[in-house]
Amino acid sequence: MTATKIRPQALAESVVPESNGERAVTGYVLGFLGSVAFLLLIPAGWARLDHLWAEDGARFAVDAIRFPAWQNVVDPYGGYLHLLPRLVAEVVALLPLEWTAAGFAVAAAVLRAVVALVTFAASGAYLRSTGLRFVLASLVVVLPAGNSETLNNMANLHWFLLYGVFWALLWRTGPRVPVALSVVLAALSSPLVFLLAPVALVRLFLPRKEVPIAFFGAVLTQGLVMLFAERTPYSQDAVDPVQVVLASLLRVPVVALTGSERVTAFYPAHGNLVVLGAVLVTGLPVVLGLWWGDRAGRALAAVATGYSALVILLCLVLNWSAVLQVQQPGVVISGQRYSIAPVLFLFTAMAVGLDAAPAVAWRRFTVRAGQWVVGILLVSSVIGYFQEPGPVLRGVPWDVSVEQGRAQCASGAADARLEHEPANWFFVVPCGQLE
């Protein structure tokens, strides 16, 4: 009987190991500051400081201005709760209205940087190479995907939170209360975190059960809300299985290597050769991880690959419309947010293979070559953030929109219309709340 009880715990110990508990405080602080600075100071990031994006304005900000906080935090939107964006909106609403765009941008950049730090800390139990851990964490910040749609806004932060919760559940030596709290906030802000329930279930067999228990409590709450909340589908277009598979390959392995914007040039010019090349380049390290990794590494590579495929397929099937077809002019620009979590999961599986360096010389050479490829990808992604003009928002600046709203009120209007990004988005507030 005792042996039977120990067996599941021993298996869980082997696939969810403990890290060495490093505490390089200075390195983490510098990494955090560097990440936030990068996200805010790149051209597209700088523009976000004065351009409010989508639901940050037309849902979270306007609700924080017009309605009580207790009502907002429990009010679902799009069929699920958005606790973290709502809490940020309540704080931002305390600032002068002109600072709203900057408030959301800074908050989103800070939280994305935290996800990167959690990734670095938790991956120490799986990856021997500090350099690879740094690259994997850095990709959370300089990811060559979703450079415009998900940059520095709370509306799309949940794509990064999903990945952060994945690592939080695997981080056995992390501080219990902060990690548990972050898991709860993320689970009550994302409709997809329930997919990580198998990982949390394994954690229940190990000591320090506070994090998985908090996870299941939050997921149950979010699940009940999703069960009864209304969700308006994006379209009524029939799902095309062939298009879904092809779109998935373009949005994950191809986008992982080129970025969302560059697919627009590569795919129309070279067709499915681009897909084949990307699958080979990204698939080889995954295979190496499954072949050479230890039990924990193989489990991580398999689970991360599975989540990469599952998340992109679910996103495309549940939100399918004709604009997601690969023959559209932008190829993967529409709905580029769907690439975020799947690409990060794919890089995780690749990192396991690139970290497994056996003693045989030619195998070590193969791994080192792959590490150089990923390093070059990281550098090119950073350069791309400074060169790619598409993600830079050029619509009406937020402070100008506020001035225009006050001019409307001064002319006798009862309400002010505040325009923001993307084009044709706006919200209306009573003039009394613009003072």
Side-chain angles (χ1 to χ4, degrees), residues 150-179:
T150 62
L151 181 63
N152 295 356
N153 63 75
M154 293 300 301
N156 287 300
L157 184 70
H158 65 88
W159 301 105
F160 296 98
L161 294 179
L162 175 63
Y163 185 67
V165 173
F166 174 75
W167 278 114
L169 290 171
L170 295 177
W171 191 15
R172 290 180 55 189
T173 58
R176 302 185 190 191
V177 174
V179 174

PDB file of all heavy atoms in Angstrom, residues 150-179:
ATOM      1  N   THR A 150      -0.413  42.753 -29.906  1.00  0.00           N
ATOM      2  CA  THR A 150      -0.288  42.388 -28.492  1.00  0.00           C
ATOM      3  C   THR A 150       0.722  43.226 -27.730  1.00  0.00           C
ATOM      4  O   THR A 150       0.960  42.962 -26.552  1.00  0.00           O
ATOM      5  CB  THR A 150       0.129  40.902 -28.370  1.00  0.00           C
ATOM      6  OG1 THR A 150       1.403  40.722 -28.987  1.00  0.00           O
ATOM      7  CG2 THR A 150      -0.893  39.990 -29.024  1.00  0.00           C
ATOM      8  N   LEU A 151       1.292  44.225 -28.359  1.00  0.00           N
ATOM      9  CA  LEU A 151       2.356  44.994 -27.716  1.00  0.00           C
ATOM     10  C   LEU A 151       1.792  46.005 -26.731  1.00  0.00           C
ATOM     11  O   LEU A 151       1.009  46.884 -27.084  1.00  0.00           O
ATOM     12  CB  LEU A 151       3.199  45.710 -28.777  1.00  0.00           C
ATOM     13  CG  LEU A 151       4.376  46.530 -28.260  1.00  0.00           C
ATOM     14  CD1 LEU A 151       5.395  45.642 -27.555  1.00  0.00           C
ATOM     15  CD2 LEU A 151       5.041  47.303 -29.397  1.00  0.00           C
ATOM     16  N   ASN A 152       2.197  45.879 -25.482  1.00  0.00           N
ATOM     17  CA  ASN A 152       1.921  46.871 -24.441  1.00  0.00           C
ATOM     18  C   ASN A 152       0.443  47.228 -24.315  1.00  0.00           C
ATOM     19  O   ASN A 152       0.078  48.406 -24.233  1.00  0.00           O
ATOM     20  CB  ASN A 152       2.745  48.142 -24.693  1.00  0.00           C
ATOM     21  CG  ASN A 152       4.232  47.900 -24.569  1.00  0.00           C
ATOM     22  OD1 ASN A 152       4.664  46.803 -24.224  1.00  0.00           O
ATOM     23  ND2 ASN A 152       5.021  48.915 -24.872  1.00  0.00           N
ATOM     24  N   ASN A 153      -0.415  46.224 -24.299  1.00  0.00           N
ATOM     25  CA  ASN A 153      -1.812  46.477 -23.963  1.00  0.00           C
ATOM     26  C   ASN A 153      -2.328  45.349 -23.095  1.00  0.00           C
ATOM     27  O   ASN A 153      -1.877  44.213 -23.174  1.00  0.00           O
ATOM     28  CB  ASN A 153      -2.683  46.671 -25.215  1.00  0.00           C
ATOM     29  CG  ASN A 153      -2.733  45.440 -26.099  1.00  0.00           C
ATOM     30  OD1 ASN A 153      -3.407  44.456 -25.775  1.00  0.00           O
ATOM     31  ND2 ASN A 153      -2.032  45.483 -27.225  1.00  0.00           N
ATOM     32  N   MET A 154      -3.273  45.681 -22.232  1.00  0.00           N
ATOM     33  CA  MET A 154      -3.825  44.698 -21.304  1.00  0.00           C
ATOM     34  C   MET A 154      -4.825  43.781 -21.987  1.00  0.00           C
ATOM     35  O   MET A 154      -5.056  42.664 -21.531  1.00  0.00           O
ATOM     36  CB  MET A 154      -4.499  45.418 -20.133  1.00  0.00           C
ATOM     37  CG  MET A 154      -3.549  46.185 -19.227  1.00  0.00           C
ATOM     38  SD  MET A 154      -2.282  45.146 -18.453  1.00  0.00           S
ATOM     39  CE  MET A 154      -3.282  43.972 -17.566  1.00  0.00           C
ATOM     40  N   ALA A 155      -5.429  44.237 -23.069  1.00  0.00           N
ATOM     41  CA  ALA A 155      -6.450  43.438 -23.747  1.00  0.00           C
ATOM     42  C   ALA A 155      -5.899  42.103 -24.231  1.00  0.00           C
ATOM     43  O   ALA A 155      -6.612  41.092 -24.249  1.00  0.00           O
ATOM     44  CB  ALA A 155      -7.030  44.226 -24.922  1.00  0.00           C
ATOM     45  N   ASN A 156      -4.626  42.068 -24.631  1.00  0.00           N
ATOM     46  CA  ASN A 156      -4.026  40.850 -25.178  1.00  0.00           C
ATOM     47  C   ASN A 156      -2.936  40.267 -24.289  1.00  0.00           C
ATOM     48  O   ASN A 156      -2.218  39.357 -24.705  1.00  0.00           O
ATOM     49  CB  ASN A 156      -3.446  41.139 -26.566  1.00  0.00           C
ATOM     50  CG  ASN A 156      -4.528  41.313 -27.610  1.00  0.00           C
ATOM     51  OD1 ASN A 156      -5.319  40.418 -27.850  1.00  0.00           O
ATOM     52  ND2 ASN A 156      -4.568  42.489 -28.227  1.00  0.00           N
ATOM     53  N   LEU A 157      -2.832  40.757 -23.068  1.00  0.00           N
ATOM     54  CA  LEU A 157      -1.796  40.242 -22.178  1.00  0.00           C
ATOM     55  C   LEU A 157      -2.040  38.781 -21.805  1.00  0.00           C
ATOM     56  O   LEU A 157      -1.104  38.045 -21.491  1.00  0.00           O
ATOM     57  CB  LEU A 157      -1.729  41.095 -20.913  1.00  0.00           C
ATOM     58  CG  LEU A 157      -0.604  40.727 -19.934  1.00  0.00           C
ATOM     59  CD1 LEU A 157       0.757  41.101 -20.509  1.00  0.00           C
ATOM     60  CD2 LEU A 157      -0.826  41.396 -18.574  1.00  0.00           C
ATOM     61  N   HIS A 158      -3.289  38.331 -21.865  1.00  0.00           N
ATOM     62  CA  HIS A 158      -3.584  36.977 -21.401  1.00  0.00           C
ATOM     63  C   HIS A 158      -2.893  35.902 -22.236  1.00  0.00           C
ATOM     64  O   HIS A 158      -2.719  34.774 -21.774  1.00  0.00           O
ATOM     65  CB  HIS A 158      -5.099  36.737 -21.362  1.00  0.00           C
ATOM     66  CG  HIS A 158      -5.783  36.765 -22.692  1.00  0.00           C
ATOM     67  ND1 HIS A 158      -5.896  35.647 -23.475  1.00  0.00           N
ATOM     68  CD2 HIS A 158      -6.404  37.766 -23.360  1.00  0.00           C
ATOM     69  CE1 HIS A 158      -6.568  35.944 -24.574  1.00  0.00           C
ATOM     70  NE2 HIS A 158      -6.877  37.227 -24.533  1.00  0.00           N
ATOM     71  N   TRP A 159      -2.446  36.233 -23.453  1.00  0.00           N
ATOM     72  CA  TRP A 159      -1.687  35.265 -24.250  1.00  0.00           C
ATOM     73  C   TRP A 159      -0.328  34.997 -23.601  1.00  0.00           C
ATOM     74  O   TRP A 159       0.180  33.870 -23.645  1.00  0.00           O
ATOM     75  CB  TRP A 159      -1.517  35.772 -25.677  1.00  0.00           C
ATOM     76  CG  TRP A 159      -2.823  36.026 -26.359  1.00  0.00           C
ATOM     77  CD1 TRP A 159      -3.398  37.239 -26.617  1.00  0.00           C
ATOM     78  CD2 TRP A 159      -3.747  35.039 -26.844  1.00  0.00           C
ATOM     79  NE1 TRP A 159      -4.607  37.071 -27.219  1.00  0.00           N
ATOM     80  CE2 TRP A 159      -4.849  35.739 -27.387  1.00  0.00           C
ATOM     81  CE3 TRP A 159      -3.748  33.643 -26.876  1.00  0.00           C
ATOM     82  CZ2 TRP A 159      -5.939  35.076 -27.955  1.00  0.00           C
ATOM     83  CZ3 TRP A 159      -4.836  32.992 -27.439  1.00  0.00           C
ATOM     84  CH2 TRP A 159      -5.908  33.701 -27.971  1.00  0.00           C
ATOM     85  N   PHE A 160       0.260  36.018 -23.015  1.00  0.00           N
ATOM     86  CA  PHE A 160       1.522  35.839 -22.288  1.00  0.00           C
ATOM     87  C   PHE A 160       1.271  35.230 -20.908  1.00  0.00           C
ATOM     88  O   PHE A 160       2.089  34.454 -20.408  1.00  0.00           O
ATOM     89  CB  PHE A 160       2.245  37.180 -22.151  1.00  0.00           C
ATOM     90  CG  PHE A 160       2.670  37.762 -23.464  1.00  0.00           C
ATOM     91  CD1 PHE A 160       1.903  38.734 -24.096  1.00  0.00           C
ATOM     92  CD2 PHE A 160       3.836  37.338 -24.084  1.00  0.00           C
ATOM     93  CE1 PHE A 160       2.294  39.269 -25.316  1.00  0.00           C
ATOM     94  CE2 PHE A 160       4.239  37.870 -25.305  1.00  0.00           C
ATOM     95  CZ  PHE A 160       3.460  38.836 -25.916  1.00  0.00           C
ATOM     96  N   LEU A 161       0.147  35.577 -20.290  1.00  0.00           N
ATOM     97  CA  LEU A 161      -0.168  35.033 -18.973  1.00  0.00           C
ATOM     98  C   LEU A 161      -0.334  33.521 -19.025  1.00  0.00           C
ATOM     99  O   LEU A 161       0.039  32.813 -18.083  1.00  0.00           O
ATOM    100  CB  LEU A 161      -1.447  35.682 -18.426  1.00  0.00           C
ATOM    101  CG  LEU A 161      -1.379  37.178 -18.118  1.00  0.00           C
ATOM    102  CD1 LEU A 161      -2.729  37.663 -17.618  1.00  0.00           C
ATOM    103  CD2 LEU A 161      -0.286  37.486 -17.102  1.00  0.00           C
ATOM    104  N   LEU A 162      -0.901  33.009 -20.109  1.00  0.00           N
ATOM    105  CA  LEU A 162      -1.051  31.566 -20.257  1.00  0.00           C
ATOM    106  C   LEU A 162       0.304  30.870 -20.169  1.00  0.00           C
ATOM    107  O   LEU A 162       0.454  29.857 -19.475  1.00  0.00           O
ATOM    108  CB  LEU A 162      -1.723  31.254 -21.601  1.00  0.00           C
ATOM    109  CG  LEU A 162      -1.861  29.778 -21.980  1.00  0.00           C
ATOM    110  CD1 LEU A 162      -2.747  29.044 -20.984  1.00  0.00           C
ATOM    111  CD2 LEU A 162      -2.415  29.641 -23.402  1.00  0.00           C
ATOM    112  N   TYR A 163       1.280  31.429 -20.855  1.00  0.00           N
ATOM    113  CA  TYR A 163       2.629  30.868 -20.818  1.00  0.00           C
ATOM    114  C   TYR A 163       3.248  31.053 -19.437  1.00  0.00           C
ATOM    115  O   TYR A 163       3.947  30.164 -18.935  1.00  0.00           O
ATOM    116  CB  TYR A 163       3.482  31.553 -21.881  1.00  0.00           C
ATOM    117  CG  TYR A 163       4.874  30.981 -22.037  1.00  0.00           C
ATOM    118  CD1 TYR A 163       5.067  29.696 -22.519  1.00  0.00           C
ATOM    119  CD2 TYR A 163       5.989  31.744 -21.718  1.00  0.00           C
ATOM    120  CE1 TYR A 163       6.339  29.170 -22.675  1.00  0.00           C
ATOM    121  CE2 TYR A 163       7.274  31.235 -21.880  1.00  0.00           C
ATOM    122  CZ  TYR A 163       7.440  29.947 -22.357  1.00  0.00           C
ATOM    123  OH  TYR A 163       8.706  29.437 -22.507  1.00  0.00           O
ATOM    124  N   GLY A 164       2.993  32.180 -18.808  1.00  0.00           N
ATOM    125  CA  GLY A 164       3.528  32.421 -17.474  1.00  0.00           C
ATOM    126  C   GLY A 164       2.983  31.440 -16.449  1.00  0.00           C
ATOM    127  O   GLY A 164       3.720  30.964 -15.577  1.00  0.00           O
ATOM    128  N   VAL A 165       1.695  31.122 -16.529  1.00  0.00           N
ATOM    129  CA  VAL A 165       1.104  30.166 -15.600  1.00  0.00           C
ATOM    130  C   VAL A 165       1.703  28.777 -15.816  1.00  0.00           C
ATOM    131  O   VAL A 165       1.917  28.025 -14.860  1.00  0.00           O
ATOM    132  CB  VAL A 165      -0.433  30.132 -15.761  1.00  0.00           C
ATOM    133  CG1 VAL A 165      -1.040  29.013 -14.929  1.00  0.00           C
ATOM    134  CG2 VAL A 165      -1.035  31.460 -15.343  1.00  0.00           C
ATOM    135  N   PHE A 166       1.983  28.437 -17.046  1.00  0.00           N
ATOM    136  CA  PHE A 166       2.625  27.156 -17.351  1.00  0.00           C
ATOM    137  C   PHE A 166       3.919  27.004 -16.553  1.00  0.00           C
ATOM    138  O   PHE A 166       4.139  25.993 -15.883  1.00  0.00           O
ATOM    139  CB  PHE A 166       2.903  27.080 -18.857  1.00  0.00           C
ATOM    140  CG  PHE A 166       3.689  25.874 -19.288  1.00  0.00           C
ATOM    141  CD1 PHE A 166       3.105  24.625 -19.352  1.00  0.00           C
ATOM    142  CD2 PHE A 166       5.026  25.999 -19.653  1.00  0.00           C
ATOM    143  CE1 PHE A 166       3.832  23.510 -19.758  1.00  0.00           C
ATOM    144  CE2 PHE A 166       5.768  24.895 -20.065  1.00  0.00           C
ATOM    145  CZ  PHE A 166       5.163  23.646 -20.111  1.00  0.00           C
ATOM    146  N   TRP A 167       4.756  28.033 -16.597  1.00  0.00           N
ATOM    147  CA  TRP A 167       6.023  27.965 -15.871  1.00  0.00           C
ATOM    148  C   TRP A 167       5.816  28.112 -14.366  1.00  0.00           C
ATOM    149  O   TRP A 167       6.548  27.515 -13.564  1.00  0.00           O
ATOM    150  CB  TRP A 167       6.984  29.021 -16.382  1.00  0.00           C
ATOM    151  CG  TRP A 167       7.694  28.600 -17.631  1.00  0.00           C
ATOM    152  CD1 TRP A 167       7.568  29.147 -18.869  1.00  0.00           C
ATOM    153  CD2 TRP A 167       8.627  27.520 -17.758  1.00  0.00           C
ATOM    154  NE1 TRP A 167       8.368  28.482 -19.777  1.00  0.00           N
ATOM    155  CE2 TRP A 167       9.033  27.473 -19.117  1.00  0.00           C
ATOM    156  CE3 TRP A 167       9.148  26.592 -16.869  1.00  0.00           C
ATOM    157  CZ2 TRP A 167       9.949  26.538 -19.585  1.00  0.00           C
ATOM    158  CZ3 TRP A 167      10.059  25.646 -17.336  1.00  0.00           C
ATOM    159  CH2 TRP A 167      10.450  25.628 -18.675  1.00  0.00           C
ATOM    160  N   ALA A 168       4.821  28.887 -13.961  1.00  0.00           N
ATOM    161  CA  ALA A 168       4.554  29.034 -12.523  1.00  0.00           C
ATOM    162  C   ALA A 168       4.169  27.689 -11.902  1.00  0.00           C
ATOM    163  O   ALA A 168       4.561  27.374 -10.770  1.00  0.00           O
ATOM    164  CB  ALA A 168       3.442  30.059 -12.295  1.00  0.00           C
ATOM    165  N   LEU A 169       3.414  26.888 -12.644  1.00  0.00           N
ATOM    166  CA  LEU A 169       3.027  25.573 -12.142  1.00  0.00           C
ATOM    167  C   LEU A 169       4.221  24.619 -12.081  1.00  0.00           C
ATOM    168  O   LEU A 169       4.238  23.695 -11.256  1.00  0.00           O
ATOM    169  CB  LEU A 169       1.935  24.981 -13.032  1.00  0.00           C
ATOM    170  CG  LEU A 169       0.560  25.654 -12.941  1.00  0.00           C
ATOM    171  CD1 LEU A 169      -0.374  25.116 -14.015  1.00  0.00           C
ATOM    172  CD2 LEU A 169      -0.053  25.457 -11.558  1.00  0.00           C
ATOM    173  N   LEU A 170       5.215  24.832 -12.937  1.00  0.00           N
ATOM    174  CA  LEU A 170       6.404  23.981 -12.948  1.00  0.00           C
ATOM    175  C   LEU A 170       7.484  24.469 -11.981  1.00  0.00           C
ATOM    176  O   LEU A 170       8.466  23.755 -11.749  1.00  0.00           O
ATOM    177  CB  LEU A 170       6.990  23.927 -14.361  1.00  0.00           C
ATOM    178  CG  LEU A 170       6.127  23.275 -15.439  1.00  0.00           C
ATOM    179  CD1 LEU A 170       6.820  23.363 -16.794  1.00  0.00           C
ATOM    180  CD2 LEU A 170       5.827  21.828 -15.094  1.00  0.00           C
ATOM    181  N   TRP A 171       7.316  25.652 -11.416  1.00  0.00           N
ATOM    182  CA  TRP A 171       8.335  26.278 -10.561  1.00  0.00           C
ATOM    183  C   TRP A 171       8.114  25.843  -9.112  1.00  0.00           C
ATOM    184  O   TRP A 171       7.443  26.508  -8.332  1.00  0.00           O
ATOM    185  CB  TRP A 171       8.235  27.794 -10.696  1.00  0.00           C
ATOM    186  CG  TRP A 171       9.363  28.536 -10.088  1.00  0.00           C
ATOM    187  CD1 TRP A 171      10.572  28.054  -9.682  1.00  0.00           C
ATOM    188  CD2 TRP A 171       9.391  29.943  -9.819  1.00  0.00           C
ATOM    189  NE1 TRP A 171      11.351  29.057  -9.177  1.00  0.00           N
ATOM    190  CE2 TRP A 171      10.660  30.224  -9.254  1.00  0.00           C
ATOM    191  CE3 TRP A 171       8.487  30.979 -10.011  1.00  0.00           C
ATOM    192  CZ2 TRP A 171      11.014  31.520  -8.871  1.00  0.00           C
ATOM    193  CZ3 TRP A 171       8.829  32.259  -9.637  1.00  0.00           C
ATOM    194  CH2 TRP A 171      10.094  32.522  -9.073  1.00  0.00           C
ATOM    195  N   ARG A 172       8.707  24.751  -8.740  1.00  0.00           N
ATOM    196  CA  ARG A 172       8.459  24.182  -7.410  1.00  0.00           C
ATOM    197  C   ARG A 172       9.095  24.978  -6.280  1.00  0.00           C
ATOM    198  O   ARG A 172       8.634  24.918  -5.135  1.00  0.00           O
ATOM    199  CB  ARG A 172       8.957  22.736  -7.365  1.00  0.00           C
ATOM    200  CG  ARG A 172       8.123  21.778  -8.204  1.00  0.00           C
ATOM    201  CD  ARG A 172       8.674  20.375  -8.124  1.00  0.00           C
ATOM    202  NE  ARG A 172       8.791  19.923  -6.731  1.00  0.00           N
ATOM    203  CZ  ARG A 172       9.405  18.807  -6.372  1.00  0.00           C
ATOM    204  NH1 ARG A 172       9.979  18.039  -7.301  1.00  0.00           N
ATOM    205  NH2 ARG A 172       9.465  18.445  -5.109  1.00  0.00           N
ATOM    206  N   THR A 173      10.170  25.707  -6.570  1.00  0.00           N
ATOM    207  CA  THR A 173      10.873  26.437  -5.511  1.00  0.00           C
ATOM    208  C   THR A 173      10.518  27.914  -5.483  1.00  0.00           C
ATOM    209  O   THR A 173      11.140  28.688  -4.767  1.00  0.00           O
ATOM    210  CB  THR A 173      12.395  26.285  -5.687  1.00  0.00           C
ATOM    211  OG1 THR A 173      12.775  26.777  -6.987  1.00  0.00           O
ATOM    212  CG2 THR A 173      12.812  24.836  -5.561  1.00  0.00           C
ATOM    213  N   GLY A 174       9.529  28.316  -6.257  1.00  0.00           N
ATOM    214  CA  GLY A 174       9.141  29.719  -6.279  1.00  0.00           C
ATOM    215  C   GLY A 174       8.465  30.137  -4.985  1.00  0.00           C
ATOM    216  O   GLY A 174       7.952  29.306  -4.219  1.00  0.00           O
ATOM    217  N   PRO A 175       8.459  31.439  -4.679  1.00  0.00           N
ATOM    218  CA  PRO A 175       7.785  31.929  -3.466  1.00  0.00           C
ATOM    219  C   PRO A 175       6.295  31.614  -3.518  1.00  0.00           C
ATOM    220  O   PRO A 175       5.610  31.970  -4.473  1.00  0.00           O
ATOM    221  CB  PRO A 175       8.052  33.441  -3.496  1.00  0.00           C
ATOM    222  CG  PRO A 175       8.366  33.751  -4.927  1.00  0.00           C
ATOM    223  CD  PRO A 175       9.021  32.530  -5.485  1.00  0.00           C
ATOM    224  N   ARG A 176       5.789  30.955  -2.508  1.00  0.00           N
ATOM    225  CA  ARG A 176       4.451  30.373  -2.581  1.00  0.00           C
ATOM    226  C   ARG A 176       3.346  31.406  -2.785  1.00  0.00           C
ATOM    227  O   ARG A 176       2.534  31.282  -3.706  1.00  0.00           O
ATOM    228  CB  ARG A 176       4.177  29.579  -1.305  1.00  0.00           C
ATOM    229  CG  ARG A 176       5.178  28.476  -1.035  1.00  0.00           C
ATOM    230  CD  ARG A 176       4.777  27.651   0.167  1.00  0.00           C
ATOM    231  NE  ARG A 176       5.854  26.746   0.566  1.00  0.00           N
ATOM    232  CZ  ARG A 176       5.720  25.776   1.446  1.00  0.00           C
ATOM    233  NH1 ARG A 176       4.563  25.578   2.024  1.00  0.00           N
ATOM    234  NH2 ARG A 176       6.735  25.002   1.754  1.00  0.00           N
ATOM    235  N   VAL A 177       3.282  32.402  -1.915  1.00  0.00           N
ATOM    236  CA  VAL A 177       2.168  33.343  -1.966  1.00  0.00           C
ATOM    237  C   VAL A 177       2.178  34.174  -3.247  1.00  0.00           C
ATOM    238  O   VAL A 177       1.150  34.267  -3.936  1.00  0.00           O
ATOM    239  CB  VAL A 177       2.166  34.248  -0.720  1.00  0.00           C
ATOM    240  CG1 VAL A 177       1.083  35.329  -0.845  1.00  0.00           C
ATOM    241  CG2 VAL A 177       1.931  33.425   0.540  1.00  0.00           C
ATOM    242  N   PRO A 178       3.306  34.801  -3.636  1.00  0.00           N
ATOM    243  CA  PRO A 178       3.294  35.556  -4.887  1.00  0.00           C
ATOM    244  C   PRO A 178       2.956  34.705  -6.106  1.00  0.00           C
ATOM    245  O   PRO A 178       2.208  35.152  -6.995  1.00  0.00           O
ATOM    246  CB  PRO A 178       4.725  36.114  -4.978  1.00  0.00           C
ATOM    247  CG  PRO A 178       5.219  36.135  -3.585  1.00  0.00           C
ATOM    248  CD  PRO A 178       4.597  34.938  -2.922  1.00  0.00           C
ATOM    249  N   VAL A 179       3.501  33.486  -6.172  1.00  0.00           N
ATOM    250  CA  VAL A 179       3.215  32.632  -7.326  1.00  0.00           C
ATOM    251  C   VAL A 179       1.751  32.224  -7.336  1.00  0.00           C
ATOM    252  O   VAL A 179       1.094  32.247  -8.376  1.00  0.00           O
ATOM    253  CB  VAL A 179       4.134  31.396  -7.324  1.00  0.00           C
ATOM    254  CG1 VAL A 179       3.731  30.427  -8.435  1.00  0.00           C
ATOM    255  CG2 VAL A 179       5.589  31.815  -7.514  1.00  0.00           C
TER     256      VAL A 179
END
